[in-house]
Amino acid sequence: MDPLPSWNDGAAKSGILDFVARVCAQGGPDFVAPAERIAAFDNDGTLWCEYPLQVQVFFALAEVKRLAQQDPSLLEKPAFKAMIDGDVKTLMSLPKKDVFEPAFATHAGMTVEEFHANAWRWLRQAEHPKLRRPFLRNTYAPQRELLDHLRANGFKTYIVTGGGIEFVRVVAQQLYGIPPEQVVGSSTRMKLEDGADGMVLRKLPELGSFDDRDEKVVNIALHIGRRPVFAFGNSDGDLPMIRYTLGGTGPRMAWLLHHDDATREFAYDRDFRLSALRDGLDRAAELGIGVVSMQRDWNRVFADGDETPNGGNA
Amino acid sequence: MDPLPSWNDGAAKSGILDFVARVCAQGGPDFVAPAERIAAFDNDGTLWCEYPLQVQVFFALAEVKRLAQQDPSLLEKPAFKAMIDGDVKTLMSLPKKDVFEPAFATHAGMTVEEFHANAWRWLRQAEHPKLRRPFLRNTYAPQRELLDHLRANGFKTYIVTGGGIEFVRVVAQQLYGIPPEQVVGSSTRMKLEDGADGMVLRKLPELGSFDDRDEKVVNIALHIGRRPVFAFGNSDGDLPMIRYTLGGTGPRMAWLLHHDDATREFAYDRDFRLSALRDGLDRAAELGIGVVSMQRDWNRVFADGDETPNGGNA
């Protein structure tokens, strides 16, 4: 049975199947011990749709009005102001870190459990404004098959995301079969409180780690303590993690997903400031990175429900 | 077959065996899903000997002379000076964080791989000055049996240590069967470098996290993302982690190891500044924490090789 039915025959699909087979061939020259079979996946734009804004930024849009009422000084920050104004154009023009700041601020003051409940309340019903489908149905079918195939062959699959670690943990098990301890992401600082209800962790309005670019590698070392042998991303923010993966000894494989499918999803790369793919495209061949074309390599995009053409207007 | 042969019959042993059986009894009132069976163990003094100084502090003692030659200003710091002078008394009187500082400084400037190699060079041959045995033979047999028993029953075992995360990772698989991704500990900041040999992480002379007391809980949330159901420590530095563990819903169990065996190991608790057990002893019953007596509950102390009486002089 084909473990990757949503992948079209071609170099990407056969490359992946061949790599997994080689890594698992006991006694073969490319055998990798099961404990070393670590696969790292970006989330936004790699496992689910991130256009025109990351899911967590949409969440922040919904949350931020409540915050600005409590603290009007927030409106002095461009990303907050743009959110309140519903000004997606301005948001898309700001640096990624600025745009995520309100998303992290929406954690502040809550316990981890409260944040999970709050995020889940939104996630379970919120819809993507262009695709007109629940965000939870915007995961990519081919990637879920790939995660399953890797795990069936002894890989431990990790998410290494620029998004909030607690935000992604709310859905990672359900959507991707990835448990919380295998989610690495951006984080706020936390404080332990010893209250009437026992010990709880409260999220502080202070960034702990912005898990993007080099920081993804730092956090892989901190959380996993091993160099992955397989990595999958979709933007220049994933390049350090991909290059770190490919830089180890023994068999290695890494991919970048190219969003070139304006009919079924969106077409964007170099000019998408929030998650540009520029160096990755220019240097993929030189660096030994494979490029997966959504249009060419996937016969199905979304894991859940019908494909709804979005009108082609990225 | 008895899974805990180094444990004497008594409340501790039967309590542990009973807890594990209840948690695994499908359909029973205390059943815990395998994914939620998280066990957190302190390392120093819980899994291996930490007296009169933690193993990593002995390592720092060996390393710090080299550092002070490069940077004589280090001698202005009391812990560095005491180390150079071999002044264990002064070291034992300083706050834990100060004493660990040189240990973290011995990482600085090295890549993670270089640090591993350097630590291993020392660890594989260094001897405990009082017990006159290699440090690697100072792990506790009863605890290794307990780790095995938990894992055989679907638990995921973690180390949550005040020691350096990379230091403990060097030996955790070999000594305890715990892979690097299940070691949580203190850490230095790191920097990704893109050099001639590819991408490497270099350790900076800057503390990232001192994984003691409340910070153990914060790091459990960050790395594991679940509240453990079982915890084992030996000092007040472990109390927050233990109380956090016990504070969850459903069946919970936590233990403190009491070092009361001056014949086979050491006897110390309230006055051991580097890792005092004071509140833990006073409040164990009130907080629902079990106390394991090394003398009473263990018929064997060290996992590897003969017991050598140490003369009883803690």
Side-chain angles (χ1 to χ4, degrees):
Chain A
M1 212 184 76
D2 182 357
L4 303 177
S6 300
W7 291 72
N8 288 324
D9 288 338
K13 179 173 182 169
S14 62
I16 289 169
L17 291 175
D18 174 63
F19 177 79
V20 172
R22 280 190 289 121
V23 157
C24 294
Q26 195 128 18
D30 288 338
F31 179 73
V32 174
E36 297 290 340
R37 293 181 203 157
I38 302 289
F41 283 77
D42 171 57
N43 183 39
D44 292 314
T46 298
L47 296 179
W48 70 2
C49 177
E50 68 170 348
Y51 199 90
L53 296 170
Q54 285 81 6
V55 179
Q56 195 172 356
V57 179
F58 281 114
F59 172 60
L61 271 166
E63 287 284 290
V64 88
K65 286 179 187 165
R66 187 174 57 78
L67 289 175
Q69 284 175 334
Q70 293 165 17
D71 178 5
S73 77
L74 289 175
L75 291 174
E76 290 159 25
K77 303 190 180 201
F80 278 86
K81 185 164 185 325
M83 283 192 173
I84 300 281
D85 298 343
D87 181 358
V88 174
K89 271 230 165 70
T90 298
L91 276 176
M92 289 174 70
S93 75
L94 293 170
K96 191 171 178 180
K97 195 167 179 173
D98 286 5
V99 178
F100 271 82
E101 195 189 345
F104 300 130
T106 55
H107 303 200
M110 290 186 195
T111 67
V112 174
E113 288 81 1
E114 287 165 354
F115 174 76
H116 284 170
N118 198 44
W120 177 240
R121 243 193 320 268
W122 181 83
L123 273 162
R124 66 190 299 195
Q125 51 75 36
E127 285 207 346
H128 191 287
K130 283 180 86 87
L131 298 176
R132 302 267 168 213
R133 306 146 38 92
F135 285 110
L136 294 183
R137 291 174 61 186
N138 286 343
T139 63
Y140 302 135
Q143 300 293 59
R144 287 173 61 158
E145 293 164 6
L146 174 55
L147 290 167
D148 285 342
H149 182 57
L150 289 168
R151 287 192 292 259
N153 286 279
F155 279 79
K156 214 165 180 173
T157 52
Y158 281 83
I159 289 175
V160 181
T161 175
I165 189 168
E166 297 303 342
F167 187 80
V168 176
R169 279 173 172 166
V170 171
V171 294
Q173 180 69 52
Q174 165 191 350
L175 295 181
Y176 310 122
I178 294 181
E181 62 268 31
Q182 285 160 232
V183 177
V184 179
S186 297
S187 55
T188 60
R189 294 200 182 280
M190 291 179 281
K191 189 178 176 301
L192 185 67
E193 287 180 0
D194 189 2
D197 296 334
M199 291 196 146
V200 293
L201 285 164
R202 198 168 296 280
K203 292 171 93 54
L204 301 175
E206 216 184 313
L207 190 64
S209 169
F210 185 53
D211 192 46
D212 196 29
R213 299 191 175 262
D214 290 8
E215 194 76 2
K216 286 202 174 193
V217 180
V218 169
N219 283 328
I220 285 172
L222 197 62
H223 288 246
I224 311 179
R226 309 185 197 256
R227 202 185 278 250
V229 297
F230 186 96
F232 213 128
N234 80 304
S235 78
D236 290 349
D238 300 317
L239 268 188
M241 160 175 104
I242 282 176
R243 295 185 56 205
Y244 180 69
T245 298
L246 294 175
T249 53
R252 306 275 152 178
M253 178 167 271
W255 298 94
L256 284 164
L257 175 61
H258 191 199
H259 292 263
D260 56 0
D261 193 330
T263 306
R264 296 183 299 176
E265 202 227 21
F266 298 101
Y268 63 92
D269 45 40
R270 293 169 189 276
D271 299 324
F272 183 41
R273 280 204 60 177
L274 287 179
S275 195
L277 180 61
R278 184 186 314 247
D279 290 353
L281 283 180
D282 293 339
R283 301 184 61 196
E286 167 209 342
L287 296 171
I289 306 165
V291 176
V292 167
S293 154
M294 184 179 277
Q295 193 180 116
R296 182 192 62 215
D297 291 314
W298 289 0
N299 61 57
R300 184 179 163 208
V301 174
F302 295 115
D304 209 0
D306 302 332
E307 314 279 355
T308 312
N310 73 28
N313 42 356
Chain B
M1 212 185 75
D2 182 356
L4 302 177
S6 299
W7 291 72
N8 288 322
D9 288 338
K13 179 173 181 170
S14 62
I16 289 169
L17 292 174
D18 175 64
F19 177 79
V20 173
R22 279 189 290 121
V23 156
C24 295
Q26 196 128 18
D30 288 339
F31 179 72
V32 174
E36 297 290 341
R37 292 181 203 156
I38 302 289
F41 283 77
D42 171 57
N43 183 38
D44 292 314
T46 298
L47 296 179
W48 70 1
C49 178
E50 68 170 349
Y51 199 90
L53 296 170
Q54 284 81 5
V55 179
Q56 196 172 355
V57 179
F58 281 114
F59 171 59
L61 270 165
E63 287 285 290
V64 89
K65 286 178 187 165
R66 187 174 57 78
L67 289 176
Q69 284 176 335
Q70 293 165 15
D71 178 5
S73 77
L74 288 176
L75 292 173
E76 289 159 25
K77 302 190 181 204
F80 278 86
K81 185 166 186 323
M83 283 192 173
I84 300 281
D85 297 344
D87 181 358
V88 173
K89 270 227 167 69
T90 298
L91 275 176
M92 289 174 69
S93 75
L94 294 170
K96 191 171 179 180
K97 195 167 178 174
D98 287 5
V99 178
F100 271 83
E101 194 188 345
F104 300 130
T106 55
H107 303 198
M110 290 186 193
T111 66
V112 174
E113 287 81 2
E114 287 166 354
F115 174 76
H116 285 170
N118 198 43
W120 177 240
R121 243 192 321 268
W122 181 83
L123 273 162
R124 65 190 300 195
Q125 52 75 36
E127 285 207 348
H128 191 286
K130 283 179 87 85
L131 298 176
R132 301 268 167 213
R133 306 145 38 92
F135 284 109
L136 293 184
R137 291 175 62 186
N138 287 342
T139 62
Y140 303 135
Q143 301 293 59
R144 288 173 60 159
E145 293 165 6
L146 174 55
L147 289 167
D148 285 342
H149 182 56
L150 289 168
R151 287 191 292 258
N153 286 278
F155 279 80
K156 213 164 180 175
T157 53
Y158 281 83
I159 289 175
V160 181
T161 176
I165 189 168
E166 296 303 342
F167 187 80
V168 176
R169 279 173 172 166
V170 171
V171 294
Q173 180 69 51
Q174 164 191 352
L175 295 181
Y176 310 122
I178 294 180
E181 62 268 31
Q182 285 160 231
V183 177
V184 178
S186 297
S187 55
T188 59
R189 293 200 183 281
M190 291 180 281
K191 189 179 176 302
L192 185 67
E193 286 181 1
D194 189 2
D197 296 334
M199 291 195 146
V200 292
L201 285 164
R202 198 169 295 279
K203 291 171 93 55
L204 301 175
E206 215 184 313
L207 190 64
S209 169
F210 184 53
D211 192 46
D212 196 30
R213 298 190 176 262
D214 290 8
E215 194 76 3
K216 286 202 175 193
V217 181
V218 168
N219 283 328
I220 284 172
L222 197 61
H223 287 247
I224 311 179
R226 308 185 198 255
R227 203 185 277 251
V229 297
F230 186 96
F232 214 128
N234 79 306
S235 79
D236 290 349
D238 301 315
L239 268 188
M241 159 175 103
I242 282 175
R243 294 184 57 206
Y244 180 70
T245 298
L246 294 174
T249 53
R252 305 275 152 178
M253 178 168 270
W255 298 94
L256 284 164
L257 175 62
H258 189 198
H259 293 263
D260 57 1
D261 193 331
T263 307
R264 296 183 299 178
E265 201 228 20
F266 299 102
Y268 63 93
D269 44 41
R270 293 169 189 278
D271 299 325
F272 183 41
R273 282 203 60 177
L274 287 179
S275 196
L277 180 62
R278 183 186 314 247
D279 290 354
L281 283 180
D282 293 340
R283 302 185 61 196
E286 166 208 342
L287 296 171
I289 306 166
V291 177
V292 167
S293 154
M294 184 179 278
Q295 193 180 114
R296 183 193 62 216
D297 291 314
W298 289 1
N299 62 56
R300 184 179 163 209
V301 174
F302 294 114
D304 209 1
D306 302 331
E307 314 278 356
T308 313
N310 74 27
N313 42 358

